[in-house]
Amino acid sequence: MATLQLKQITKSFDDTHVIKGIDLEVNDKEFVVFVGPSGCGKSTLMRMIAGLESATSGDIVIDGQRINDVGPADRGLAMVFQSYALYPHMTVEDNMGFSMRLAKVPKEQRRQKVLEAAQILQLEPLLDRKPKALSGGQRQRVAIGRAIVRNPSIFLFDEPLSNLDAALRVQMRIELARLHEELDATMIYVTHDQIEAMTMADKIVVLHDGEVEQVGSPMELYHHPCNRFVAGFIGSPKMNFLEVGLERTHAEGVEIRLPGGGTCSVPADGSELAVDSALELGVRPEHLLLDDQGPLEGEIQVLERLGGQTSLYVQMGELMVTIMADGDVAHRVHDKVRFGFEPERAHLFDASGLALPSLHQHPLARLTRRDNRVASDADSL
Amino acid sequence: MPGMTGFAGLENYRYLFTDPALWSAMGTTLLLVGWVLAITVVGGTLLAVLFQQEFAGRGIARVLAISPFFVMPTVSALVWKNMMMHPSNGVLSWVAESFGLPAVDWFSSLPLTSIIIIVAWQWLPFALLILLTAMQSLDEDQVEAARMDGAGPVAIFFFITLPHLKRAISVVIMIEMIFLLTIFAEIFVTTSGGPGLATTNLAYLIYIRALLDFDVGMASAGGVIAIILANIVAIFLVRMVAKNLED
Amino acid sequence: MTTSRTKQPGSETAAIPLAARPSLLASPGIRKLGLAVLGWTIACVIFFPIFWMVLTGFKTEAAAIADPSLIFSPTLESYQAVQDRSGYARYALNSVAVAFGSTLLALVIAIPSAYSMAFLPTKRTKGTLLWMLSTKMLPSVGVLVPIYLIFRDVGLLDTRTGLIIVYTLMNLPIVVWMLYTFFKDMPKDILEAGRMDGASTLQEVLFLLMPLTLPGIASTGLLSVILSWNEAFWSLNLTSSNAAPLTAYIASFSSPEGLFWAKLSAASTMAIAPILVLGWMTQKQMVRGLTFGAVK
């Protein structure tokens, strides 16, 4: 059992407010990812949970106990650092056993626990090596092993994959997801990479300028971003934003006037909108469809063929729009193309950047990674 | 001389400032510092460029060249005084004679020059050591880019190497200044400040007043002057180091 | 080809002679040989006084003042004489005691200070460090009189303890600074990982910081030893017979009656040899320490 609550946490360095009052609930065995651009405060938040940084105000509560004044080693947490922070002068075994050595655990017992962890991570053949003699991925695993050995109630990962190359990152991502299932522990994970967030999280916390923008499952954030920042941050390539005019609002949604003159009705709740509100339409590149009858038109400036997919960068007046199209599209640079979108896939943002609530709940929006698992378990039965 | 007991007010300072020895010592100090700085910085830069080049046995040559820095000042002063610059038996006069030149009595005819040579010999390796290290952090790509742009060795030195060394050179100047302002042992064992006051710098003057004349008040006043002088240098050094801390 | 090109005068821009230079480099063999000759000549000239001193130490007194010559029959009699007559060992012992004593003391004080400054900085840390540095610039001669008077009154004149105290104070700013520079370079993460693993501050310093910065601590210590060993101002002024280290002993050769070159050379060689070797070994780290990290 390990739950974590943050209550009105703030952190200031001198006059800069890095964290501006964060409330958060992490449930038992949950994989929570803090994601946000650099400087958003995600690492600071994690370091406060770890106890490496003190909170300026607010409560940090683990399993119902306020632990603001408890030292980092006594919070029952383990942390995997971005740089791995292995002790360079110790062997892998000593690295993993250091916490137990400090706690005066007998040698035999120490070795036993290290071996167990090493087995999980396939580190047995490396136990006598020094970190210098390990590859990046192996160091990463030792750092994780060092955390496992402590048997923590909550694992903290501070951008653990950012020092690995792309291929290894994919592999470690899978390994971490597997580890989460195997250890059945609560994990908090910091990253600036929204792909890592999307692939691993049960719950994503999007941070921006020291504040929580949105908390939700990956699919929820993808399909129902609550504001323009989250919409732009989650999803790759980035969502396209177009300024549109408000035609009228009605029970089934909001009718908007598109650049180029067409109109379209988006199923969103526009009841709060004033008559002449400025609106922004957001459509993800993968939801823009090439269509000779489509309401939008532009000229292709750049064309990136990835094989299975083709990215089109289309000039629409002042605006550059990205379209993810099929790999087989025959267009060339400087072709004029028409395109459109399904209204249910579109998002509307008001002048303050807030999303108009969608009238259609996406069927997968409540899905978490855990649900994926349960479903597959059920299939195998 | 101020009264021997009681509070003297500014009397010591007044007396000090009217002491012609003070101004002579200040002049000597500045000459010594200025010349040694000039020799070591220019020489050190050139030597650093030389020892940066690849040649057989470079490592050993480097080690030989930086060695004087580790020699204790009393030893180097005595070696120079007795074995290098001795008017009749020194190596320098022997060299001069074998070229048919008259031997020079270094310490009586060129006392300050002799001190400058000794001190520069000790500090040239320091400049070389620092500048050579700084040189090794010069980005090879930069040099190659310059070469692609058509720069020859001389142009590379002036447009790439020297700007790169700027910071290291200022460090050398500042640190040497701190130590050079208080040169003592070299004068103590060679000329004892003479002949006359020819090689008496501020440090040595204070020493004379304090421990030879037992004029503690005046020596202390001199000490304060020395501290003020050094602090002027220190302000610059501290500023520079502070800037370095920012990075 | 080179000559025909460089001969063209006037109308050419400066770029031409520069462009022609690479053809000078076309014979790397000759260029390398020239560099080697030049480099070695200069290195030997600079090193010559030390070389000559070592050589003279193996001569007889008569040979030492004779015309300079590389050919002589080497003898150890000067070394023998230095040992027997002047109690060289006592001075050397003083030097060792004072240099290592002050270094040890300085490290014991400086390691905790540098630790807190590097890893637990406050707003005033930088200012404190710079202030410490500025005390290093205080010319020793400025405080000679007060220190002399204090030492006389408390009976520290001409004692090893007195010299150790002065040297510790003299080197402390530089030692703290160097350690700070080295500690600063150590990834903070590792200490934090240690803290997460349950290490106390003392354990952090003993098990992680010190083993990991050992090369830095060692070279800091060595620099402190070198500075103390070579220090002449305080040793000349605060000691006379009991606690006089080698610097003072060597200085005594400056008096006219002490003009025994071979013995002077032998004694000097013994005095500088250990430090010279230490200096060679630690030159690289010393640069960083001496320039407070400005030059790496």
Side-chain angles (χ1 to χ4, degrees):
Chain A
M1 255 303 279
T3 63
L4 169 77
Q5 278 122 33
L6 303 182
K7 295 178 183 162
Q8 274 306 308
I9 290 290
T10 67
K11 175 75 186 175
S12 310
F13 295 104
D14 299 330
D15 294 333
T16 30
H17 305 292
V18 188
I19 301 288
K20 303 166 184 165
I22 284 186
D23 285 297
L24 186 71
E25 192 110 1
V26 175
N27 299 322
D28 189 31
K29 294 175 186 169
E30 208 167 25
F31 197 116
V32 176
V33 176
F34 296 170
V35 69
S38 56
C40 70
K42 54 190 189 300
S43 281
T44 310
L45 189 60
M46 165 161 288
R47 292 168 55 79
M48 284 195 285
I49 296 170
L52 295 173
E53 212 87 70
S54 62
T56 307
S57 70
D59 301 324
I60 303 170
V61 178
I62 292 182
D63 287 338
Q65 298 227 289
R66 185 176 185 276
I67 46 118
N68 285 45
D69 305 318
V70 178
D74 303 321
R75 295 186 177 194
L77 310 171
M79 181 154 166
V80 176
F81 291 80
Q82 176 170 12
S83 60
Y84 319 139
L86 299 180
Y87 310 126
H89 57 306
M90 300 183 194
T91 61
V92 168
E93 182 174 349
D94 292 342
N95 258 283
M96 289 168 66
F98 188 58
S99 59
M100 291 185 286
R101 188 176 133 205
L102 292 174
K104 308 223 159 54
V105 174
K107 209 167 179 176
E108 265 316 296
Q109 209 175 324
R110 237 153 67 190
R111 189 166 172 78
Q112 190 56 40
K113 284 210 96 176
V114 169
L115 276 177
E116 275 170 34
Q119 208 154 22
I120 299 176
L121 295 161
Q122 289 118 44
L123 283 172
E124 292 123 307
L126 306 177
L127 283 178
D128 293 328
R129 294 214 199 152
K130 292 255 177 88
K132 224 177 12 206
L134 301 179
S135 71
Q138 289 168 335
R139 285 179 206 179
Q140 177 67 75
R141 289 217 295 277
V142 174
I144 295 171
R146 193 169 62 182
I148 290 178
V149 161
R150 300 196 54 211
N151 212 356
S153 56
I154 302 178
F155 283 87
L156 305 175
F157 294 94
D158 187 7
E159 306 225 18
L161 305 188
S162 57
N163 286 345
L164 300 177
D165 65 51
L168 209 50
R169 212 177 299 168
V170 174
Q171 193 192 327
M172 282 308 295
R173 226 158 64 198
I174 296 166
E175 205 157 326
L176 276 175
R178 184 183 63 84
L179 208 63
H180 179 225
E181 191 178 358
E182 193 169 329
L183 299 173
D184 222 9
T186 311
M187 293 187 174
I188 299 177
Y189 188 104
V190 162
T191 180
H192 63 269
D193 179 359
Q194 54 98 18
I195 295 183
E196 280 174 27
M198 294 295 280
T199 49
M200 291 193 283
D202 293 316
K203 188 195 267 176
I204 295 180
V205 180
V206 181
L207 290 161
H208 181 45
D209 271 347
E211 282 173 303
V212 173
E213 293 284 339
Q214 190 172 2
V215 179
S217 73
M219 285 301 102
E220 195 178 340
L221 298 191
Y222 179 81
H223 291 294
H224 300 293
C226 70
N227 59 33
R228 200 179 177 281
F229 177 80
V230 177
F233 192 78
I234 299 288
S236 169
K238 256 175 85 114
M239 186 183 275
N240 298 298
F241 295 101
L242 297 94
E243 280 172 25
V244 295
L246 171 63
E247 198 76 352
R248 65 191 182 93
T249 60
H250 52 86
E252 279 83 53
V254 180
E255 192 167 316
I256 53 170
R257 195 169 43 253
L258 297 166
T263 62
C264 153
S265 195
V266 176
D269 178 6
S271 52
E272 309 275 299
L273 285 176
V275 184
D276 265 331
S277 305
L279 285 179
E280 225 173 349
L281 174 74
V283 188
R284 297 195 182 278
E286 54 271 37
H287 297 149
L288 283 175
L289 308 165
L290 292 175
D291 175 4
D292 292 340
Q293 256 67 61
L296 301 168
E297 191 191 33
E299 185 186 312
I300 299 176
Q301 295 294 322
V302 178
L303 208 120
E304 289 176 346
R305 294 190 181 278
L306 306 175
Q309 288 171 317
T310 303
S311 311
L312 308 177
Y313 298 91
V314 177
Q315 194 77 44
M316 261 183 81
E318 305 270 275
L319 209 67
M320 185 76 97
V321 172
T322 313
I323 304 175
M324 279 298 249
D326 191 73
D328 297 331
V329 292
H331 294 289
R332 298 182 190 195
V333 174
H334 297 311
D335 280 358
K336 288 248 189 313
V337 288
R338 294 199 74 84
F339 51 97
F341 54 91
E342 291 176 35
E344 306 83 69
R345 299 279 201 186
H347 309 266
L348 281 177
F349 303 95
D350 66 17
S352 62
L354 285 180
L356 303 186
S358 177
L359 294 173
H360 286 267
Q361 178 76 12
H362 193 278
L364 294 181
R366 289 272 154 239
L367 193 73
T368 65
R369 213 166 44 86
R370 190 181 303 262
D371 296 324
N372 283 335
R373 267 197 326 263
V374 174
S376 64
D377 284 351
D379 284 348
S380 64
L381 282 175
Chain B
M1 180 168 284
M4 297 305 280
T5 55
F7 183 66
L10 291 175
E11 198 57 11
N12 281 317
Y13 289 93
R14 196 189 60 78
Y15 193 72
L16 181 73
F17 277 111
T18 52
D19 183 354
L22 173 76
W23 302 106
S24 148
M26 294 256 250
T28 305
T29 307
L30 289 181
L31 274 179
L32 180 60
V33 172
W35 274 108
V36 172
L37 274 182
I39 295 169
T40 56
V41 169
V42 173
T45 310
L46 294 178
L47 287 188
V49 172
L50 174 64
F51 285 109
Q52 176 70 359
Q53 313 296 318
E54 199 77 54
F55 61 81
R58 180 180 62 169
I60 300 170
R62 271 185 194 171
V63 163
L64 291 184
I66 60 160
S67 298
F69 182 59
F70 303 113
V71 174
M72 63 175 66
T74 46
V75 166
S76 53
L78 280 179
V79 167
W80 276 91
K81 179 188 176 190
N82 292 333
M83 288 182 272
M84 297 293 126
M85 292 174 163
H86 194 277
S88 52
N89 309 82
V91 173
L92 287 181
S93 55
W94 179 76
V95 170
E97 270 162 24
S98 47
F99 282 103
L101 299 168
V104 181
D105 187 356
W106 289 89
F107 287 100
S108 30
S109 50
L110 297 166
L112 191 54
T113 311
S114 310
I115 301 274
I116 288 172
I117 291 175
I118 297 173
V119 177
W121 178 75
Q122 287 179 292
W123 285 93
L124 180 64
F126 172 77
L128 168 62
L129 184 60
I130 302 279
L131 295 175
L132 195 55
T133 313
M135 196 98 87
Q136 281 157 0
S137 69
L138 175 59
D139 188 5
E140 258 316 295
D141 287 353
Q142 244 187 67
V143 175
E144 279 170 5
R147 203 170 290 160
M148 294 298 287
D149 284 342
V154 177
I156 287 177
F157 175 77
F158 279 106
F159 293 113
I160 310 286
T161 313
L162 212 49
H164 175 75
L165 291 182
K166 221 166 68 188
R167 178 142 132 181
I169 288 178
S170 51
V171 170
V172 168
I173 292 177
M174 293 300 167
I175 292 182
E176 281 194 14
M177 243 192 238
I178 297 169
F179 285 90
L180 295 179
L181 276 172
T182 57
I183 287 287
F184 175 80
E186 291 83 345
I187 297 171
F188 178 85
V189 294
T190 54
T191 63
S192 301
L197 285 172
T199 54
T200 298
N201 67 353
L202 207 49
Y204 203 77
L205 180 68
I206 296 169
Y207 162 79
I208 293 176
R209 291 283 181 268
L211 295 193
L212 301 186
D213 302 349
F214 286 107
D215 185 350
V216 168
M218 182 137 147
S220 296
V224 171
I225 304 274
I227 289 172
I228 291 171
L229 266 189
N231 268 296
I232 295 171
V233 178
I235 288 168
F236 287 104
L237 178 62
V238 163
R239 276 232 184 109
M240 191 184 59
V241 173
K243 206 189 280 171
N244 186 47
L245 273 178
E246 305 293 330
D247 309 340
Chain C
M1 180 190 159
T2 319
T3 47
S4 71
R5 217 190 264 177
T6 46
K7 265 180 190 164
Q8 294 181 356
S11 61
E12 306 289 321
T13 62
I16 292 301
L18 287 179
R21 276 214 175 105
S23 57
L24 257 176
L25 310 180
S27 52
I30 291 178
R31 182 172 174 270
K32 262 200 176 154
L33 189 69
L35 275 173
V37 170
L38 186 63
W40 273 99
T41 309
I42 291 178
C44 290
V45 167
I46 292 177
F47 191 73
F48 182 77
I50 300 175
F51 167 76
W52 196 249
M53 176 193 80
V54 175
L55 210 63
T56 308
F58 292 104
K59 292 179 180 176
T60 57
E61 288 297 348
I65 39 173
D67 266 356
S69 163
L70 287 174
I71 301 144
F72 61 97
S73 51
T75 164
L76 285 175
E77 79 183 30
S78 303
Y79 284 89
Q80 198 60 48
V82 167
Q83 295 286 23
D84 294 348
R85 277 224 320 248
S86 53
Y88 174 88
R90 191 164 51 90
Y91 296 101
L93 209 62
N94 281 338
S95 266
V96 169
V98 169
F100 284 90
S102 66
T103 297
L104 214 63
L105 190 56
L107 283 178
V108 167
I109 300 172
I111 288 178
S113 339
Y115 168 85
S116 70
M117 286 176 174
F119 298 110
L120 306 164
T122 66
K123 252 196 268 182
R124 292 192 201 350
T125 296
K126 212 181 275 178
T128 312
L129 270 167
L130 291 174
W131 172 77
M132 285 182 56
L133 183 63
S134 74
T135 65
K136 179 71 204 155
M137 285 155 227
L138 200 139
S140 7
V141 70
V143 290
L144 169 61
V145 172
I147 289 202
Y148 186 88
L149 295 179
I150 293 170
F151 271 34
R152 190 192 59 195
D153 293 347
V154 298
L156 280 174
L157 274 186
D158 201 17
T159 62
R160 283 180 190 170
T161 319
L163 218 46
I164 287 178
I165 291 174
V166 171
Y167 285 179
T168 302
L169 295 176
M170 172 182 86
N171 288 337
L172 206 49
I174 245 176
V175 170
V176 171
W177 258 90
M178 272 180 87
L179 289 179
Y180 174 82
T181 318
F182 290 119
F183 287 179
K184 252 306 200 226
D185 270 7
M186 172 158 162
K188 222 178 156 182
D189 283 4
I190 291 182
L191 292 186
E192 288 180 344
R195 221 171 305 157
M196 295 292 293
D197 273 347
S200 66
T201 306
L202 186 65
Q203 286 170 322
E204 235 176 81
V205 172
L206 289 181
F207 294 154
L208 301 177
L209 183 66
M210 286 183 53
L212 289 177
T213 53
L214 200 61
I217 294 176
S219 55
T220 307
L222 288 176
L223 178 68
S224 165
V225 167
I226 292 173
L227 288 177
S228 305
W229 187 278
N230 287 347
E231 204 287 326
F233 180 77
W234 292 111
S235 61
L236 285 171
N237 285 314
L238 295 183
T239 65
S240 48
S241 55
N242 288 331
L246 285 170
T247 40
Y249 168 64
I250 301 286
S252 70
F253 276 89
S254 66
S255 49
E257 66 273 21
L259 271 185
F260 298 103
W261 292 9
K263 285 184 202 66
L264 163 66
S265 296
S268 299
T269 305
M270 286 193 282
I272 68 164
I275 292 310
L276 204 53
V277 173
L278 284 186
W280 286 340
M281 276 166 20
T282 56
Q283 38 162 316
K284 191 106 198 199
Q285 268 105 338
M286 257 179 49
V287 172
R288 282 191 43 205
L290 276 172
T291 60
F292 314 114
V295 174
K296 288 188 185 170

